[in-house]
Amino acid sequence: MGVVSSKLGNLGVVTTTLETAVNWARTGAVWPLLFGLACCAIEMMATQASDYDLSRFGMELNRASPRQSDLIIVAGRVTRKMAPVLRQLYDQMASPKYVISMGDCASCGGVYNNYAIVQGVDEIIPVDVYVAGCPPRPEQLIHGIITLHEKMRGERFTQWIGKDQPA
Amino acid sequence: MSFIVPEKDRSLTPGSGDGLESWVGSVEELRGLVSDRALTGETLLLNMGPHHPSTHGVLRLLLELDGEEVVTCLPDIGFLHTGIEKNIESKTYEKAVTLTDRMDYLSPMSNNMVFCSAVEKLVGLDVPPRAQVIRVICLELSRIASHLVWLGTHALDMGAMSVFLYCFREREKILDMFEMLSGQRMMGSYFRPGGVWRDLPADFLPTLEAFLDDFPRRVDDYEKLLTNNPLWIDRTQGIGIVEPEEALALGMTGPTLRGSGVNWDIRKAMPYSGYDQYDFDVPLGEHGDVYDRFYVRILELRESMRIIRQAMKAIPGGPFRSENRKFVPPPRAELGRSMEAVIHHFKLWTEGFSVPDEEVYVAIESPRGEIGCYLHGTGGNKPRRVRFKTPSFMHISALGKLCQGHMIADVVAIIGSVDIVLGDSDR
Amino acid sequence: MSIKIAKAADPVESLRAALPDALLDTKTFRDELTLIVKPESIISVLRHLRDTPGLLYNFLSDISPVDYYNPQGGYDGRPERFALSYHLYSMLYNRRIRVKVFLPEDDPRLPSATSVWPAANWLEREAYDMMGIVFDGHPDLRRVLMPQDWNGHPHRRDYPLGYEQPMFSFNVEEIAKHKPFAKE
C-alpha cells in the first residue's frame, strides 16, 4: 500500500499521517489527459488497452478536457506549430498537475534536430518524468508512471497547495 | 512566447518569424473560404481541434455551422510537421530508412517499402525472391495491424469501446512478431535497400501460423459487434457519400476510393514485390459512404490473411538481401575472411553509396492508399530531394467536401472512415 | 454492351501534334517517361493529357517540387533553379507519366492546376509553403504545414535544416545552462 510509516493497531486500525493517506489516494486515481501527438500515442493507447491494462494503476479514465485531468503525457514530437497549443493545455490544467514526457522526441527532440521540432518539451512546460525510447515500450511507460507515483507519494502539502499561484 | 528559443539562438532562426508568436488572424482573412453569412455572424464558426479526442491526432477543423449542420469545413494540418523530407536530405540512403518509419506510424513497413523501392529503382538494385516474399508477409501483417488500430479508434469515436480493446489485443500479437523480426515493436526499419535486415527467425513462421489460425475467428467477432449492429448502421450508412468521379478528382486512393466502387489497387494494377503471384480479391463498396469504407477494410483484413497464407507456403530459399556489395554491406562473418569485404563495409558505413543524378517516382499500396516516393539523387551519397506523396494528405484535403451538409456529430464518423494518420499527412 | 476503348497512344507524339510549342524535351529513365514543357502552357498540356482519347491520364498522383540550388553556383546542369513535376496516372491504360517544368529562381510562378484537378489544391499549397512556388489563380494559396507567420520556405536547399546544437553527454551541462527551461 505504500504507506511506509503506518502502524497497525489491535483491530486492524491503521494510523498514518493525513499527507501520506492523501498522497496514497492520489496515486491511485491519476486522470491523464486524452492527448496524443504521434507514434508514442499509439504505444500509449496500447498501454491502456487490453494487454498492458493501465487501469491496474487507476489510470483507465482519460479525460478529454484539461480542466479535469491531473497528468499530461506528451506522447510524440512537439512541433513549433503545436507548442503554443500545448502550453495552453497545460495552463488550463488544475494544480497539482504532472507532466510525463514520453519518448525521445518529446524529451530532447530525438532524431529530429530541425527547423520544425521543439528540442525537448521541457522548453515549453515543466516535465516531471522523462521516458526514453522511440517509441517507448508500454512497460517503459508504466515504469515512468510508477516513478511519477513515487514522486507524488513523497510530496508535502505545502509543495502543491497554491502551486500555481504566482511566486 | 519568447521563452522557447533563447535570445542568443534567435538570430540564427531563418527569418524573424519563427512561428512561435501566436498568430492572430482576423475573420476577414477567411473571406472567400467561409460563406458570407459567417462574417456577419449569422452562422457559427467553431474550432475543432487540434486537441480533440476524435481527430485521430492533431488535426484542426474550422467548421462553419448553421445550427447543427456543417456549411463549410476547413481542415488545418501541420501540427505534426516534422521535416522528415528535409532531414533525409542530410542522411545517406541507408540511414534514411529509420526516418521513414516515423511518417505513417501505423504501418511503418509500407513507408520503408516505398523508400527502399525508390532507392532500388534509382540505382538498379535487385531484390532476391526470398526477400520479396518476406516483404509481402510484413506488408500484409502491417496492413492488418493498421486496420486494427483504425477499426478500434473508429469504433471508439462512435461510442463502441469494447471493439477497441479487442482490436488492440490482436494487434499486440502482430507487434510481437515484428519485434521478433526486427527487435522493435513499431519502428523496426526492417526493410533495407536490397532486401530485409535479417532472415526470418526460426520461431517466426510457427507464431505466424498460430496467429492466422486464430485471427479469422476474431474478425468474425468484430463483425458480430458492428456489421449488423443497427446503431452502427444508423450512424454510418448514407453519411459522407463520395461519388467515384469525385473521389478520383479529389485524389482519394486506397480503401477510401474503393469504398466508392473504383477498382484501383496498386497491388493489382502495378504489382511490386511479386504481388502478381498471389490470388486475392479487391473488395469494393457500392455507395461510397462511411459504412462501405468500413466494410471494405473489414474484407481487406480477410484478403490480407489469404495473401499471407499463400506467401508462407511459397517462401523460397536463398539470400534475404541482395549480394551486390556496391550497395549492400557484407555480413559480419565475411569481415574476418575477406579484405574486400572490410573495404566495402567501411565504405558503406562511412560514406554510403552514390546514386545517379536522376529522379524516380515509386508508388505502393499502403493501408491508407497510394503512398508515393519521389526521389531525386545528386550523384553523391545523399539525396537532393525526397518527397512523399501520402494518402492521408489527400484525404484530409477532401474532408471539407465530405463533411458538407452533414450534422456535426457525423463529422467524427467521416474523419474515422477516411482513416487519416496525421504523421502521414504532415511528415 | 460494348464500350469502344481507343488504343493507347504515344503521349509524346500526341502532344507534339496538338501543342507543338509546349514540349521542350523528353527523357526516359528506368522506364519512366518525363515530358519537359514550358511553364506557361502547363495547363493546356495537362488538359490535353487528361482528355485526349488514347492518353486519358485521369489521376493526379503528386506534384513534386525540387530545388537545384548549388552553393557553389549554377543549377547542377539544369536550366533553372526550381522544377515542378506533375505525376499523372492513367487508370485505363495503367501507366504513369511525369510532366516537368523548370521555374526561374527570382520569380517561380506558374498557373494553378486546380481547375483541372481539385486534388491539386493542397498539393500546390504545399509546394508554395515548402518551396515558395507561386500558383496564379489558386483559390486559397496559404501555408498548409508551417504556421501562417513563418518566414522562408523550409524545403529550399539554402534553408538551414536546424540551428540548435545537438545535446550529447559531454556538452549537456553547457547546453543546460542556456536552455530555456519552462516555468510553472
Side-chain angles (χ1 to χ4, degrees), chain B residues 32-54:
Chain B
L33 299 174
V34 295
S35 75
D36 287 343
R37 292 194 297 159
L39 302 180
T40 57
E42 197 182 326
T43 52
L44 177 74
L45 284 176
L46 180 75
N47 187 36
M48 181 172 168
H51 167 66
H52 189 276
S54 62

mmCIF file with all atom_site columns, all heavy atoms in Angstrom, chain B residues 32-54:
data_model
loop_
_atom_site.group_PDB
_atom_site.id
_atom_site.type_symbol
_atom_site.label_atom_id
_atom_site.label_alt_id
_atom_site.label_comp_id
_atom_site.label_asym_id
_atom_site.label_entity_id
_atom_site.label_seq_id
_atom_site.pdbx_PDB_ins_code
_atom_site.Cartn_x
_atom_site.Cartn_y
_atom_site.Cartn_z
_atom_site.occupancy
_atom_site.B_iso_or_equiv
_atom_site.pdbx_formal_charge
_atom_site.auth_seq_id
_atom_site.auth_comp_id
_atom_site.auth_asym_id
_atom_site.auth_atom_id
_atom_site.pdbx_PDB_model_num
ATOM 1   N N   . GLY B 1 32 ? -14.117 34.431 -48.502 1.00 0.00 ? 32 GLY B N   1
ATOM 2   C CA  . GLY B 1 32 ? -13.927 33.581 -49.671 1.00 0.00 ? 32 GLY B CA  1
ATOM 3   C C   . GLY B 1 32 ? -13.764 32.113 -49.307 1.00 0.00 ? 32 GLY B C   1
ATOM 4   O O   . GLY B 1 32 ? -14.022 31.253 -50.125 1.00 0.00 ? 32 GLY B O   1
ATOM 5   N N   . LEU B 1 33 ? -13.352 31.862 -48.054 1.00 0.00 ? 33 LEU B N   1
ATOM 6   C CA  . LEU B 1 33 ? -13.211 30.460 -47.635 1.00 0.00 ? 33 LEU B CA  1
ATOM 7   C C   . LEU B 1 33 ? -14.466 29.972 -46.948 1.00 0.00 ? 33 LEU B C   1
ATOM 8   O O   . LEU B 1 33 ? -14.883 28.832 -47.117 1.00 0.00 ? 33 LEU B O   1
ATOM 9   C CB  . LEU B 1 33 ? -12.011 30.313 -46.700 1.00 0.00 ? 33 LEU B CB  1
ATOM 10  C CG  . LEU B 1 33 ? -10.666 30.686 -47.290 1.00 0.00 ? 33 LEU B CG  1
ATOM 11  C CD1 . LEU B 1 33 ? -9.597  30.633 -46.230 1.00 0.00 ? 33 LEU B CD1 1
ATOM 12  C CD2 . LEU B 1 33 ? -10.311 29.737 -48.413 1.00 0.00 ? 33 LEU B CD2 1
ATOM 13  N N   . VAL B 1 34 ? -15.049 30.843 -46.113 1.00 0.00 ? 34 VAL B N   1
ATOM 14  C CA  . VAL B 1 34 ? -16.320 30.502 -45.494 1.00 0.00 ? 34 VAL B CA  1
ATOM 15  C C   . VAL B 1 34 ? -17.390 31.362 -46.164 1.00 0.00 ? 34 VAL B C   1
ATOM 16  O O   . VAL B 1 34 ? -17.080 32.301 -46.891 1.00 0.00 ? 34 VAL B O   1
ATOM 17  C CB  . VAL B 1 34 ? -16.293 30.751 -43.973 1.00 0.00 ? 34 VAL B CB  1
ATOM 18  C CG1 . VAL B 1 34 ? -15.303 29.835 -43.315 1.00 0.00 ? 34 VAL B CG1 1
ATOM 19  C CG2 . VAL B 1 34 ? -15.956 32.191 -43.666 1.00 0.00 ? 34 VAL B CG2 1
ATOM 20  N N   . SER B 1 35 ? -18.655 31.027 -45.936 1.00 0.00 ? 35 SER B N   1
ATOM 21  C CA  . SER B 1 35 ? -19.708 31.798 -46.589 1.00 0.00 ? 35 SER B CA  1
ATOM 22  C C   . SER B 1 35 ? -19.819 33.176 -45.937 1.00 0.00 ? 35 SER B C   1
ATOM 23  O O   . SER B 1 35 ? -19.367 33.392 -44.807 1.00 0.00 ? 35 SER B O   1
ATOM 24  C CB  . SER B 1 35 ? -21.034 31.056 -46.491 1.00 0.00 ? 35 SER B CB  1
ATOM 25  O OG  . SER B 1 35 ? -21.539 31.172 -45.187 1.00 0.00 ? 35 SER B OG  1
ATOM 26  N N   . ASP B 1 36 ? -20.416 34.098 -46.658 1.00 0.00 ? 36 ASP B N   1
ATOM 27  C CA  . ASP B 1 36 ? -20.513 35.467 -46.146 1.00 0.00 ? 36 ASP B CA  1
ATOM 28  C C   . ASP B 1 36 ? -21.359 35.540 -44.882 1.00 0.00 ? 36 ASP B C   1
ATOM 29  O O   . ASP B 1 36 ? -21.218 36.464 -44.086 1.00 0.00 ? 36 ASP B O   1
ATOM 30  C CB  . ASP B 1 36 ? -21.105 36.382 -47.225 1.00 0.00 ? 36 ASP B CB  1
ATOM 31  C CG  . ASP B 1 36 ? -20.089 36.640 -48.324 1.00 0.00 ? 36 ASP B CG  1
ATOM 32  O OD1 . ASP B 1 36 ? -18.894 36.394 -48.063 1.00 0.00 ? 36 ASP B OD1 1
ATOM 33  O OD2 . ASP B 1 36 ? -20.479 37.059 -49.422 1.00 0.00 ? 36 ASP B OD2 1
ATOM 34  N N   . ARG B 1 37 ? -22.217 34.568 -44.716 1.00 0.00 ? 37 ARG B N   1
ATOM 35  C CA  . ARG B 1 37 ? -23.067 34.584 -43.517 1.00 0.00 ? 37 ARG B CA  1
ATOM 36  C C   . ARG B 1 37 ? -22.240 34.452 -42.242 1.00 0.00 ? 37 ARG B C   1
ATOM 37  O O   . ARG B 1 37 ? -22.621 34.942 -41.196 1.00 0.00 ? 37 ARG B O   1
ATOM 38  C CB  . ARG B 1 37 ? -24.077 33.430 -43.589 1.00 0.00 ? 37 ARG B CB  1
ATOM 39  C CG  . ARG B 1 37 ? -25.104 33.610 -44.679 1.00 0.00 ? 37 ARG B CG  1
ATOM 40  C CD  . ARG B 1 37 ? -26.245 32.660 -44.499 1.00 0.00 ? 37 ARG B CD  1
ATOM 41  N NE  . ARG B 1 37 ? -25.804 31.264 -44.607 1.00 0.00 ? 37 ARG B NE  1
ATOM 42  C CZ  . ARG B 1 37 ? -26.479 30.252 -44.101 1.00 0.00 ? 37 ARG B CZ  1
ATOM 43  N NH1 . ARG B 1 37 ? -27.590 30.452 -43.429 1.00 0.00 ? 37 ARG B NH1 1
ATOM 44  N NH2 . ARG B 1 37 ? -26.047 29.019 -44.244 1.00 0.00 ? 37 ARG B NH2 1
ATOM 45  N N   . ALA B 1 38 ? -21.089 33.770 -42.375 1.00 0.00 ? 38 ALA B N   1
ATOM 46  C CA  . ALA B 1 38 ? -20.246 33.601 -41.189 1.00 0.00 ? 38 ALA B CA  1
ATOM 47  C C   . ALA B 1 38 ? -19.624 34.931 -40.784 1.00 0.00 ? 38 ALA B C   1
ATOM 48  O O   . ALA B 1 38 ? -19.422 35.200 -39.595 1.00 0.00 ? 38 ALA B O   1
ATOM 49  C CB  . ALA B 1 38 ? -19.153 32.581 -41.463 1.00 0.00 ? 38 ALA B CB  1
ATOM 50  N N   . LEU B 1 39 ? -19.311 35.772 -41.773 1.00 0.00 ? 39 LEU B N   1
ATOM 51  C CA  . LEU B 1 39 ? -18.652 37.032 -41.454 1.00 0.00 ? 39 LEU B CA  1
ATOM 52  C C   . LEU B 1 39 ? -19.608 37.991 -40.756 1.00 0.00 ? 39 LEU B C   1
ATOM 53  O O   . LEU B 1 39 ? -19.194 38.823 -39.950 1.00 0.00 ? 39 LEU B O   1
ATOM 54  C CB  . LEU B 1 39 ? -18.106 37.668 -42.743 1.00 0.00 ? 39 LEU B CB  1
ATOM 55  C CG  . LEU B 1 39 ? -17.118 36.794 -43.513 1.00 0.00 ? 39 LEU B CG  1
ATOM 56  C CD1 . LEU B 1 39 ? -16.634 37.508 -44.749 1.00 0.00 ? 39 LEU B CD1 1
ATOM 57  C CD2 . LEU B 1 39 ? -15.933 36.411 -42.651 1.00 0.00 ? 39 LEU B CD2 1
ATOM 58  N N   . THR B 1 40 ? -20.889 37.861 -41.048 1.00 0.00 ? 40 THR B N   1
ATOM 59  C CA  . THR B 1 40 ? -21.851 38.725 -40.358 1.00 0.00 ? 40 THR B CA  1
ATOM 60  C C   . THR B 1 40 ? -22.299 38.117 -39.043 1.00 0.00 ? 40 THR B C   1
ATOM 61  O O   . THR B 1 40 ? -23.012 38.762 -38.283 1.00 0.00 ? 40 THR B O   1
ATOM 62  C CB  . THR B 1 40 ? -23.090 38.944 -41.242 1.00 0.00 ? 40 THR B CB  1
ATOM 63  O OG1 . THR B 1 40 ? -23.638 37.660 -41.556 1.00 0.00 ? 40 THR B OG1 1
ATOM 64  C CG2 . THR B 1 40 ? -22.733 39.664 -42.520 1.00 0.00 ? 40 THR B CG2 1
ATOM 65  N N   . GLY B 1 41 ? -21.915 36.897 -38.781 1.00 0.00 ? 41 GLY B N   1
ATOM 66  C CA  . GLY B 1 41 ? -22.281 36.281 -37.513 1.00 0.00 ? 41 GLY B CA  1
ATOM 67  C C   . GLY B 1 41 ? -23.566 35.497 -37.561 1.00 0.00 ? 41 GLY B C   1
ATOM 68  O O   . GLY B 1 41 ? -24.081 35.063 -36.541 1.00 0.00 ? 41 GLY B O   1
ATOM 69  N N   . GLU B 1 42 ? -24.077 35.295 -38.769 1.00 0.00 ? 42 GLU B N   1
ATOM 70  C CA  . GLU B 1 42 ? -25.330 34.546 -38.859 1.00 0.00 ? 42 GLU B CA  1
ATOM 71  C C   . GLU B 1 42 ? -25.107 33.053 -38.608 1.00 0.00 ? 42 GLU B C   1
ATOM 72  O O   . GLU B 1 42 ? -25.904 32.389 -37.954 1.00 0.00 ? 42 GLU B O   1
ATOM 73  C CB  . GLU B 1 42 ? -25.920 34.761 -40.250 1.00 0.00 ? 42 GLU B CB  1
ATOM 74  C CG  . GLU B 1 42 ? -27.381 34.390 -40.353 1.00 0.00 ? 42 GLU B CG  1
ATOM 75  C CD  . GLU B 1 42 ? -27.877 34.585 -41.784 1.00 0.00 ? 42 GLU B CD  1
ATOM 76  O OE1 . GLU B 1 42 ? -27.407 35.525 -42.466 1.00 0.00 ? 42 GLU B OE1 1
ATOM 77  O OE2 . GLU B 1 42 ? -28.712 33.790 -42.195 1.00 0.00 ? 42 GLU B OE2 1
ATOM 78  N N   . THR B 1 43 ? -24.015 32.539 -39.136 1.00 0.00 ? 43 THR B N   1
ATOM 79  C CA  . THR B 1 43 ? -23.655 31.154 -38.830 1.00 0.00 ? 43 THR B CA  1
ATOM 80  C C   . THR B 1 43 ? -22.490 31.178 -37.843 1.00 0.00 ? 43 THR B C   1
ATOM 81  O O   . THR B 1 43 ? -21.838 32.202 -37.657 1.00 0.00 ? 43 THR B O   1
ATOM 82  C CB  . THR B 1 43 ? -23.221 30.403 -40.100 1.00 0.00 ? 43 THR B CB  1
ATOM 83  O OG1 . THR B 1 43 ? -22.215 31.168 -40.741 1.00 0.00 ? 43 THR B OG1 1
ATOM 84  C CG2 . THR B 1 43 ? -24.372 30.191 -41.036 1.00 0.00 ? 43 THR B CG2 1
ATOM 85  N N   . LEU B 1 44 ? -22.253 30.018 -37.268 1.00 0.00 ? 44 LEU B N   1
ATOM 86  C CA  . LEU B 1 44 ? -21.271 29.937 -36.180 1.00 0.00 ? 44 LEU B CA  1
ATOM 87  C C   . LEU B 1 44 ? -19.968 29.350 -36.701 1.00 0.00 ? 44 LEU B C   1
ATOM 88  O O   . LEU B 1 44 ? -19.980 28.347 -37.415 1.00 0.00 ? 44 LEU B O   1
ATOM 89  C CB  . LEU B 1 44 ? -21.843 29.046 -35.075 1.00 0.00 ? 44 LEU B CB  1
ATOM 90  C CG  . LEU B 1 44 ? -20.931 28.783 -33.883 1.00 0.00 ? 44 LEU B CG  1
ATOM 91  C CD1 . LEU B 1 44 ? -20.841 30.014 -33.020 1.00 0.00 ? 44 LEU B CD1 1
ATOM 92  C CD2 . LEU B 1 44 ? -21.447 27.612 -33.093 1.00 0.00 ? 44 LEU B CD2 1
ATOM 93  N N   . LEU B 1 45 ? -18.860 29.988 -36.359 1.00 0.00 ? 45 LEU B N   1
ATOM 94  C CA  . LEU B 1 45 ? -17.557 29.414 -36.686 1.00 0.00 ? 45 LEU B CA  1
ATOM 95  C C   . LEU B 1 45 ? -17.058 28.671 -35.457 1.00 0.00 ? 45 LEU B C   1
ATOM 96  O O   . LEU B 1 45 ? -16.946 29.251 -34.378 1.00 0.00 ? 45 LEU B O   1
ATOM 97  C CB  . LEU B 1 45 ? -16.565 30.511 -37.067 1.00 0.00 ? 45 LEU B CB  1
ATOM 98  C CG  . LEU B 1 45 ? -16.725 31.117 -38.455 1.00 0.00 ? 45 LEU B CG  1
ATOM 99  C CD1 . LEU B 1 45 ? -15.749 32.246 -38.636 1.00 0.00 ? 45 LEU B CD1 1
ATOM 100 C CD2 . LEU B 1 45 ? -16.512 30.072 -39.527 1.00 0.00 ? 45 LEU B CD2 1
ATOM 101 N N   . LEU B 1 46 ? -16.807 27.397 -35.625 1.00 0.00 ? 46 LEU B N   1
ATOM 102 C CA  . LEU B 1 46 ? -16.405 26.573 -34.485 1.00 0.00 ? 46 LEU B CA  1
ATOM 103 C C   . LEU B 1 46 ? -15.057 25.946 -34.769 1.00 0.00 ? 46 LEU B C   1
ATOM 104 O O   . LEU B 1 46 ? -14.829 25.389 -35.838 1.00 0.00 ? 46 LEU B O   1
ATOM 105 C CB  . LEU B 1 46 ? -17.448 25.481 -34.243 1.00 0.00 ? 46 LEU B CB  1
ATOM 106 C CG  . LEU B 1 46 ? -17.148 24.544 -33.076 1.00 0.00 ? 46 LEU B CG  1
ATOM 107 C CD1 . LEU B 1 46 ? -17.408 25.238 -31.769 1.00 0.00 ? 46 LEU B CD1 1
ATOM 108 C CD2 . LEU B 1 46 ? -17.980 23.298 -33.176 1.00 0.00 ? 46 LEU B CD2 1
ATOM 109 N N   . ASN B 1 47 ? -14.179 26.044 -33.802 1.00 0.00 ? 47 ASN B N   1
ATOM 110 C CA  . ASN B 1 47 ? -12.855 25.476 -33.939 1.00 0.00 ? 47 ASN B CA  1
ATOM 111 C C   . ASN B 1 47 ? -12.824 24.105 -33.291 1.00 0.00 ? 47 ASN B C   1
ATOM 112 O O   . ASN B 1 47 ? -13.092 23.969 -32.104 1.00 0.00 ? 47 ASN B O   1
ATOM 113 C CB  . ASN B 1 47 ? -11.861 26.421 -33.257 1.00 0.00 ? 47 ASN B CB  1
ATOM 114 C CG  . ASN B 1 47 ? -10.459 26.012 -33.489 1.00 0.00 ? 47 ASN B CG  1
ATOM 115 O OD1 . ASN B 1 47 ? -10.132 25.523 -34.556 1.00 0.00 ? 47 ASN B OD1 1
ATOM 116 N ND2 . ASN B 1 47 ? -9.620  26.202 -32.497 1.00 0.00 ? 47 ASN B ND2 1
ATOM 117 N N   . MET B 1 48 ? -12.523 23.082 -34.076 1.00 0.00 ? 48 MET B N   1
ATOM 118 C CA  . MET B 1 48 ? -12.495 21.713 -33.548 1.00 0.00 ? 48 MET B CA  1
ATOM 119 C C   . MET B 1 48 ? -11.052 21.225 -33.641 1.00 0.00 ? 48 MET B C   1
ATOM 120 O O   . MET B 1 48 ? -10.502 21.090 -34.705 1.00 0.00 ? 48 MET B O   1
ATOM 121 C CB  . MET B 1 48 ? -13.424 20.838 -34.381 1.00 0.00 ? 48 MET B CB  1
ATOM 122 C CG  . MET B 1 48 ? -13.532 19.417 -33.948 1.00 0.00 ? 48 MET B CG  1
ATOM 123 S SD  . MET B 1 48 ? -14.838 18.620 -34.897 1.00 0.00 ? 48 MET B SD  1
ATOM 124 C CE  . MET B 1 48 ? -14.560 16.930 -34.510 1.00 0.00 ? 48 MET B CE  1
ATOM 125 N N   . GLY B 1 49 ? -10.435 21.002 -32.519 1.00 0.00 ? 49 GLY B N   1
ATOM 126 C CA  . GLY B 1 49 ? -9.032  20.578 -32.518 1.00 0.00 ? 49 GLY B CA  1
ATOM 127 C C   . GLY B 1 49 ? -8.127  21.773 -32.332 1.00 0.00 ? 49 GLY B C   1
ATOM 128 O O   . GLY B 1 49 ? -8.622  22.865 -32.114 1.00 0.00 ? 49 GLY B O   1
ATOM 129 N N   . PRO B 1 50 ? -6.784  21.616 -32.382 1.00 0.00 ? 50 PRO B N   1
ATOM 130 C CA  . PRO B 1 50 ? -6.064  20.370 -32.643 1.00 0.00 ? 50 PRO B CA  1
ATOM 131 C C   . PRO B 1 50 ? -6.126  19.351 -31.499 1.00 0.00 ? 50 PRO B C   1
ATOM 132 O O   . PRO B 1 50 ? -5.760  18.211 -31.706 1.00 0.00 ? 50 PRO B O   1
ATOM 133 C CB  . PRO B 1 50 ? -4.633  20.840 -32.850 1.00 0.00 ? 50 PRO B CB  1
ATOM 134 C CG  . PRO B 1 50 ? -4.546  22.151 -32.187 1.00 0.00 ? 50 PRO B CG  1
ATOM 135 C CD  . PRO B 1 50 ? -5.881  22.752 -32.251 1.00 0.00 ? 50 PRO B CD  1
ATOM 136 N N   . HIS B 1 51 ? -6.548  19.809 -30.306 1.00 0.00 ? 51 HIS B N   1
ATOM 137 C CA  . HIS B 1 51 ? -6.684  18.827 -29.238 1.00 0.00 ? 51 HIS B CA  1
ATOM 138 C C   . HIS B 1 51 ? -8.144  18.424 -29.150 1.00 0.00 ? 51 HIS B C   1
ATOM 139 O O   . HIS B 1 51 ? -8.952  19.146 -28.581 1.00 0.00 ? 51 HIS B O   1
ATOM 140 C CB  . HIS B 1 51 ? -6.209  19.422 -27.925 1.00 0.00 ? 51 HIS B CB  1
ATOM 141 C CG  . HIS B 1 51 ? -6.595  18.599 -26.752 1.00 0.00 ? 51 HIS B CG  1
ATOM 142 N ND1 . HIS B 1 51 ? -6.081  17.346 -26.561 1.00 0.00 ? 51 HIS B ND1 1
ATOM 143 C CD2 . HIS B 1 51 ? -7.449  18.802 -25.747 1.00 0.00 ? 51 HIS B CD2 1
ATOM 144 C CE1 . HIS B 1 51 ? -6.610  16.836 -25.470 1.00 0.00 ? 51 HIS B CE1 1
ATOM 145 N NE2 . HIS B 1 51 ? -7.441  17.696 -24.964 1.00 0.00 ? 51 HIS B NE2 1
ATOM 146 N N   . HIS B 1 52 ? -8.477  17.327 -29.764 1.00 0.00 ? 52 HIS B N   1
ATOM 147 C CA  . HIS B 1 52 ? -9.851  16.854 -29.731 1.00 0.00 ? 52 HIS B CA  1
ATOM 148 C C   . HIS B 1 52 ? -9.812  15.337 -29.722 1.00 0.00 ? 52 HIS B C   1
ATOM 149 O O   . HIS B 1 52 ? -9.016  14.735 -30.441 1.00 0.00 ? 52 HIS B O   1
ATOM 150 C CB  . HIS B 1 52 ? -10.618 17.368 -30.952 1.00 0.00 ? 52 HIS B CB  1
ATOM 151 C CG  . HIS B 1 52 ? -12.089 17.092 -30.883 1.00 0.00 ? 52 HIS B CG  1
ATOM 152 N ND1 . HIS B 1 52 ? -12.609 15.897 -31.276 1.00 0.00 ? 52 HIS B ND1 1
ATOM 153 C CD2 . HIS B 1 52 ? -13.119 17.851 -30.464 1.00 0.00 ? 52 HIS B CD2 1
ATOM 154 C CE1 . HIS B 1 52 ? -13.918 15.927 -31.088 1.00 0.00 ? 52 HIS B CE1 1
ATOM 155 N NE2 . HIS B 1 52 ? -14.255 17.102 -30.606 1.00 0.00 ? 52 HIS B NE2 1
ATOM 156 N N   . PRO B 1 53 ? -10.618 14.691 -28.909 1.00 0.00 ? 53 PRO B N   1
ATOM 157 C CA  . PRO B 1 53 ? -10.479 13.231 -28.766 1.00 0.00 ? 53 PRO B CA  1
ATOM 158 C C   . PRO B 1 53 ? -10.715 12.466 -30.046 1.00 0.00 ? 53 PRO B C   1
ATOM 159 O O   . PRO B 1 53 ? -10.208 11.360 -30.190 1.00 0.00 ? 53 PRO B O   1
ATOM 160 C CB  . PRO B 1 53 ? -11.517 12.877 -27.709 1.00 0.00 ? 53 PRO B CB  1
ATOM 161 C CG  . PRO B 1 53 ? -12.350 14.076 -27.527 1.00 0.00 ? 53 PRO B CG  1
ATOM 162 C CD  . PRO B 1 53 ? -11.559 15.250 -27.944 1.00 0.00 ? 53 PRO B CD  1
ATOM 163 N N   . SER B 1 54 ? -11.458 12.991 -31.000 1.00 0.00 ? 54 SER B N   1
ATOM 164 C CA  . SER B 1 54 ? -11.780 12.146 -32.154 1.00 0.00 ? 54 SER B CA  1
ATOM 165 C C   . SER B 1 54 ? -11.155 12.643 -33.437 1.00 0.00 ? 54 SER B C   1
ATOM 166 O O   . SER B 1 54 ? -11.620 12.307 -34.513 1.00 0.00 ? 54 SER B O   1
ATOM 167 C CB  . SER B 1 54 ? -13.284 12.062 -32.318 1.00 0.00 ? 54 SER B CB  1
ATOM 168 O OG  . SER B 1 54 ? -13.780 13.337 -32.566 1.00 0.00 ? 54 SER B OG  1
#
